[in-house]
Amino acid sequence: MKSKIWLLLFAAPFVFTACGDDSSTGGNSENHSANSSDSSNKDDKNENTPVSPEDIDWILPTDPSNLWDGEGTESKPYKLTSAEDLALLADEVNEKVVNFKGIHFKLTEDVTLSGKWTPIGCVKGQSNRTFGGVFDGGDKTIKGLNIDDTASVSGFFGFVSGGTIKNLNIEGAKIKAGNYAGMLFGKAENAEIKDCSVSGELKGSDFVGGLGGSVSGSKVENVTVGGSVQGNGSVGGVAATLISSSFKNVDNSASVSGKTTVAGIVSTLSMNSVLELCVNTGAVSGSQDVAGVVSKASKTEVKQSGNEGTVTAEDNSMSSVGGVVAIASNSAVLSQVYNTGAIKAGSAIGVGGIAGKFITDASMTSAFNHGQITAGSAAVGGIIGKAEVCVVKGAYDAGVVPNADRSAPIAGEMQSASVMSDIYYDAGLQTSDFVEGTPEEDLKSSDFLGKLNAVEKVWENSSDYAGFPVFTWMK
């Protein structure tokens, strides 16, 4: 017990001042020096007794029960009822470095914030001040979220590590920030985000996402994003980067604009991350590596996902543009993916209804494109722009591609060691030397449906798509 008291009295001044301004540091240093002098008269054995991690976990600079009603348990969470309660939580995390690991909070009222919001969790120098508790939004709505700051790691939450955010709605957010910006959070590590919605205007620099900037080792499920998202590099409608994480049942309707690596759902997908049941309906625009769902996918899986928004890319000879993925590489796997949005590109390396560039052991099973493609000088394909060392099976194109030398209904360019089977296209829209086309009425027939289902039994004809085959999960 004595070791706990020592930690509370002498460790706390350090963590209090780390988020403060430089002018306060000296004062707190003097106080610590004085307290250290007083403590020299104590028993050396007590002063030097090691403090166990278990002790540290449960020492709080402030007793939360003095700030909020409740007990911090799942059945009796601390109740947050006002903007002041939320601001107190931010202060405890940012200034007093309380992670609140395992402690439960619940928003019990709709809240309208006023003035400039300070995110819950921050990065100060080499110190991460993170929220690790459980925040239950109680299906309530937060309005008035306003951030106008060039600081990085911004959102309603700044930095979430090991925590859970659920059942929270944010409406009408207005955020101008630096790197790692989102409407819900700036960074999330080893976290769980579920049953949340956000909408508003978000403008950031790099690593900007409608929901959050960076997601690592985390699970995100049942999320919707609306409004507008704008940044420079690595811009996603939902998240900028997804590392060793998963998205399931995630929809974006926000318009998304940036310069490089821009996508409707996630900018960069890597390290065994998985997207499942993710659909973008927002317009996406950028100058390099632009896509409706994911800009760059490497060693990952995208399944049961698609794009319905317009994808627009500027002239850029180093760019790849895709309805679903701009660049898929390093054994990336795409299954049951689709595009119905128009694709408008200038010059590029590759432009495809599904993928702009599909390389290095990437594979695709069951896909379709209905989107019209217009492009400048590029390898343009109804399914893939440029294919190299890849496998594609069970796909069809019913969208229009340009009548140009490097354009084709399946793949604009197909280089070494690429294997394509059970591939079809609408013969009334274009021709190809690679495979014979199929008349539109035959693409809507039961015989054609049987051919697709022989590859993977996931198809059905739909009146919502003019009788063409689509995936059963799209109902």
Side-chain angles (χ1 to χ4, degrees), residues 98-173:
V98 184
N99 177 265
F100 290 110
K101 178 181 178 181
I103 296 178
H104 292 252
F105 296 84
K106 186 169 185 177
L107 188 64
T108 59
E109 303 288 342
D110 293 334
V111 173
T112 298
L113 304 174
S114 61
K116 305 300 182 185
W117 175 249
T118 299
I120 301 170
C122 63
V123 176
K124 296 290 185 180
Q126 300 299 314
S127 175
N128 294 334
R129 317 299 174 83
T130 65
F131 175 78
V134 177
F135 187 100
D136 184 350
D139 295 320
K140 301 301 182 181
T141 300
I142 292 175
K143 297 181 179 180
L145 176 59
N146 190 338
I147 298 174
D148 190 353
D149 195 336
T150 58
S152 297
V153 193
S154 292
F156 178 69
F157 287 87
F159 204 147
V160 180
S161 180
T164 297
I165 306 171
K166 60 183 180 179
N167 307 321
L168 178 62
N169 307 300
I170 295 176
E171 291 183 4

Side-chain angles (χ1 to χ4, degrees), residues 300-353:
T300 57
E301 183 176 6
V302 180
K303 60 183 179 181
Q304 296 183 331
S305 298
N307 172 64
E308 300 174 9
T310 300
V311 176
T312 305
E314 300 173 3
D315 274 329
N316 190 323
S317 61
M318 300 302 294
S319 178
S320 297
V321 184
V324 177
V325 178
I327 303 172
S329 63
N330 297 324
S331 301
V333 175
L334 275 62
S335 61
Q336 300 179 48
V337 294
Y338 74 94
N339 174 65
T340 61
I343 300 173
K344 305 174 182 180
S347 61
I349 295 173
V351 180

Side-chain angles (χ1 to χ4, degrees), residues 228-245:
S228 63
V229 178
Q230 181 179 336
N232 293 321
S234 294
V235 183
V238 182
T241 62
L242 205 63
I243 303 170
S244 301
S245 299

Side-chain angles (χ1 to χ4, degrees), residues 351 372-376 380-382 399-409 430:
V351 180
Q372 179 176 352
I373 303 173
T374 57
V380 183
V400 177
V401 299
N403 184 12
D405 291 340
R406 298 170 63 205
S407 296
Q430 60 260 319

Side-chain angles (χ1 to χ4, degrees), residues 205-208 230-236 240 256-263 266-268 284-291 295-296 313-314 316 318-320 326:
S205 184
D206 297 332
F207 303 103
V208 179
Q230 181 179 336
N232 293 321
S234 294
V235 183
V256 184
S257 60
K259 293 182 180 179
T260 61
T261 322
V262 185
V266 177
S267 170
T268 303
V284 182
S285 61
S287 62
Q288 182 173 338
D289 299 334
V290 186
S295 175
K296 295 181 179 180
E314 300 173 3
N316 190 323
M318 300 302 294
S319 178
S320 297

Side-chain angles (χ1 to χ4, degrees), residues 45-68:
K45 180 178 180 181
N46 290 336
E47 182 182 37
N48 295 323
T49 301
V51 180
S52 70
E54 290 78 9
D55 290 337
I56 296 173
D57 282 345
W58 292 104
I59 296 173
L60 302 178
T62 304
D63 183 352
S65 63
N66 293 331
L67 302 176
W68 310 285

